[in-house]
Amino acid sequence: NAGVTQTPKFQVLKTGQSMTLQCAQDMNHNSMYWYRQDPGMGLRLIYYSASEGTTDKGEVPNGYNVSRLNKREFSLRLESAAPSQTSVYFCASSRGPRTEAFFGQGTRLTVV
Amino acid sequence: AQSVTQLDSHVSVSEGTPVLLRCNYSSSYSPSLFWYVQHPNKGLQLLLKYTSAATLVKGINGFEAEFKKSETSFHLTKPSAHMSDAAEYFCVATYNNNDMRFGAGTRLTVKP
């Protein structure tokens, strides 16, 4: 019973490098989310996908792109990493609006 | 824009005493509201949720929260704190558009 799986768990990037964070859920959920968590700021929504084929910007989308590859998978891409993107990234999924979300274990990303 | 405000960044209680973690939301209509808990270096776990049924909601581990529309509040309480309750707590509001917003978090410390 995997739930929401994120890869990788840890990553160090140099400024300007690109990478993709992967997320997959096995609960047949419609909605998926990407958040970043920084000390004292809670979790801030980067992008979400209400259903397969749709994506929408959240609070802090600048510097990120997403792809909802299919119902199970929702990836987050950093095209040119910056030190300000050092954070812990969480992927989540839910059945739909107003329902509880289930979270992955997080990806700790450091940009040097 | 919709927002969630957690009124205390840090709450410290003694073991066996009551816990009160405060949350206010801003919205032109009633959201669904959740409390999540995050233990150190862990993912997020749902404590309880309000989805327009009973205004007093009971969750896991003895926590409960009351939805007060007139005060736009959803405060989390527990009659008697346990050492294992020490963690970060997040109040979350979600609306019909799948936009799920977190408060900044309240760190709960429980003293022996």
Side-chain angles (χ1 to χ4, degrees):
Chain A
N1 190 12
V4 179
T5 303
Q6 291 181 234
T7 55
K9 288 186 169 48
F10 301 93
Q11 183 71 49
V12 179
L13 288 179
K14 294 182 179 178
T15 298
Q17 286 185 318
S18 62
M19 81 161 294
T20 300
L21 306 185
Q22 306 286 354
C23 176
Q25 52 92 7
D26 62 2
M27 295 172 281
N28 201 35
H29 285 168
N30 293 311
S31 303
M32 297 187 74
Y33 311 81
W34 276 106
Y35 288 88
R36 59 177 289 171
Q37 183 177 24
D38 302 292
M41 303 186 78
L43 277 75
R44 291 180 293 167
L45 183 63
I46 304 172
Y47 272 93
Y48 63 95
S49 170
S51 61
E52 186 178 352
T54 69
T55 60
D56 286 285
K57 294 179 180 179
E59 300 171 75
V60 290
N62 291 344
Y64 305 96
N65 286 301
V66 291
S67 295
R68 183 74 182 269
L69 304 169
N70 48 55
K71 193 170 186 179
R72 290 187 63 247
E73 299 172 288
F74 188 40
S75 63
L76 178 72
R77 183 162 178 83
L78 287 70
E79 291 291 351
S80 179
S84 61
Q85 294 178 306
T86 293
S87 188
V88 180
Y89 291 84
F90 285 96
C91 177
S93 71
S94 70
R95 282 187 291 108
R98 298 181 172 269
T99 62
E100 69 179 276
F102 294 81
F103 288 82
Q105 289 299 299
T107 296
R108 187 172 296 274
L109 175 67
T110 302
V111 183
V112 298
Chain B
Q2 296 124 355
S3 65
V4 177
T5 303
Q6 291 184 241
L7 296 158
D8 306 290
S9 60
H10 182 212
V11 170
S12 181
V13 301
S14 296
E15 190 174 22
T17 64
V19 176
L20 170 64
L21 306 183
R22 299 182 293 167
C23 173
N24 286 101
Y25 66 92
S26 68
S27 176
S28 57
Y29 57 96
S30 294
S32 292
L33 295 161
F34 305 80
W35 276 98
Y36 286 83
V37 61
Q38 184 181 33
H39 291 278
N41 299 312
K42 300 284 189 183
L44 287 92
Q45 179 185 18
L46 179 72
L47 275 180
L48 50 80
K49 60 183 176 182
Y50 166 76
T51 55
S52 76
T55 56
L56 182 62
V57 181
K58 294 189 185 299
I60 61 171
N61 300 334
F63 285 94
E64 61 182 39
E66 185 172 9
F67 174 72
K68 292 186 177 180
K69 186 174 182 178
S70 61
E71 298 176 11
T72 61
S73 70
F74 189 57
H75 300 335
L76 181 71
T77 61
K78 183 173 181 178
S80 176
H82 191 271
M83 295 297 291
S84 61
D85 294 328
E88 185 104 23
Y89 291 79
F90 294 99
C91 181
V92 180
T94 183
Y95 304 87
N96 288 333
N97 62 354
N98 273 283
D99 191 344
M100 194 165 60
R101 297 295 176 113
F102 278 69
T106 299
R107 183 164 60 90
L108 177 65
T109 300
V110 182
K111 297 175 290 186

